[in-house]
Amino acid sequence: MMRSRNGREVLIAPSILSADFLALGDEVREASAAGADLLHLDMMDGHFVPNLTFGPPVVERLRKITSVPLEAHLMVERPEIYLTDLANGGMHRVTVHWEASSHLHYVLSRIRELGMRAGVALSPATPVAMVSDILDMIDLVLVMTVNPGFGGQSFIGHSFEKIAAMRALLDSRGAAHVSLEVDGGIKPANIAQVVDCGADTIVMGSAIFGDTPCEAVFREIRERLEKT
Ligand code: DX5
Ligand code: ZN
């Protein structure tokens, strides 16, 4: 669904972490129909983060019920061991954490070799410069604006500057092919500010799978983005 602000196209990626897992199919169908551009799948292994979610078998099932592209946000140690299964399950893009990959260069080339788009996520304490030497190997960078592991946390305030710094880095390096995604604590109330700092893809979990119906949240997002 086309959405933009000041000439920049803005994609929305609902994170199913806050969905009702007992009604996951319905939740995903609803978010897809409401205008999701990507479905953000948070995979956690209980080691890299103190929480567990789901793995490739769930991806395969989700692939069958929506045509929205799937993206995996791997909050796991040794992400390389899941890549083949994710590719076979129909994953469009895979993001691995800078902090979790001791052989990031290898992991990123492997993701692309399997036909998927490759991304790197930075936790809040990791400086933007860490992606400097791998810009030609990635399709997106994911700036975390909460500590990874749980939905429903508050946006870390000074992240606005970090997003702007990442945008400046990408622009100064002519890395127009790298999308800037932001994840954690984003609501309709702060989405315009996040986009104004330079983000083009917005992950939203609790805001989309909360008490308000999906469609109404997407409407509010559009209104907020249109406001000057
Ligand atoms: C947190 C996850 C997020 C989470 C965002 O580790 O990476 O994708 O679902 O949830 P909200 O939007 O509620 O902060
Ligand atoms: Zn995420």
Side-chain angles (χ1 to χ4, degrees):
M1 186 176 287
M2 250 318 247
R3 260 173 237 96
S4 67
R5 182 169 172 84
N6 300 329
R8 170 173 290 131
E9 192 183 350
V10 179
L11 303 181
I12 304 293
S15 156
I16 65 165
L17 188 60
S18 291
D20 174 0
F21 277 35
L22 290 185
L24 192 54
D26 293 340
E27 297 267 70
V28 164
R29 282 186 204 98
E30 202 187 325
S32 307
D37 298 294
L38 290 152
L39 271 183
H40 182 87
L41 308 179
D42 291 299
M43 303 192 182
M44 308 183 188
D45 66 351
H47 292 281
F48 178 63
V49 288
N51 198 5
L52 283 166
T53 53
F54 49 82
V58 174
V59 175
E60 270 175 50
R61 301 301 291 264
L62 289 177
R63 182 63 300 155
K64 293 189 179 123
I65 63 154
T66 179
S67 55
V68 174
L70 306 178
E71 64 168 12
H73 175 190
L74 297 184
M75 284 162 273
V76 303
E77 287 177 2
R78 300 204 295 138
E80 60 276 8
I81 61 182
Y82 307 102
L83 300 180
T84 307
D85 286 346
L86 292 176
N88 291 339
M91 191 60 66
H92 177 62
R93 60 189 207 179
V94 175
T95 299
V96 295
H97 264 266
W98 184 88
E99 305 80 11
S101 316
S102 26
H103 304 290
L104 191 56
H105 189 276
Y106 164 75
V107 174
L108 294 171
S109 27
R110 185 76 192 124
I111 294 172
R112 280 188 167 174
E113 218 172 81
L114 288 164
M116 300 178 289
R117 306 258 166 101
V120 172
L122 302 183
S123 289
T126 306
V128 298
M130 294 309 175
V131 297
S132 236
D133 289 345
I134 46 170
L135 290 176
D136 57 339
M137 306 198 66
I138 57 178
D139 301 288
L140 74 129
V141 57
L142 176 62
V143 172
M144 290 292 305
T145 43
V146 298
N147 282 294
F150 300 92
Q153 304 180 75
S154 313
F155 186 92
I156 297 173
H158 69 251
S159 309
F160 288 122
E161 287 145 44
K162 185 171 182 180
I163 300 162
M166 183 61 86
R167 170 52 63 195
L169 173 87
L170 296 176
D171 288 352
S172 74
R173 296 283 302 274
H177 68 285
V178 179
S179 143
L180 172 42
E181 185 170 27
V182 179
D183 184 6
I186 306 176
K187 316 273 172 211
N190 60 4
I191 190 169
Q193 205 179 343
V194 171
V195 170
D196 289 345
C197 290
D200 55 58
T201 305
I202 307 293
V203 178
M204 288 171 111
S206 50
I208 286 179
F209 294 106
D211 296 335
T212 315
C214 261
E215 214 195 304
V217 180
F218 272 88
R219 206 177 317 126
E220 198 186 344
I221 291 170
R222 180 175 283 278
E223 285 163 10
R224 297 278 187 160
L225 290 173
E226 279 166 5
K227 238 184 237 160
T228 47

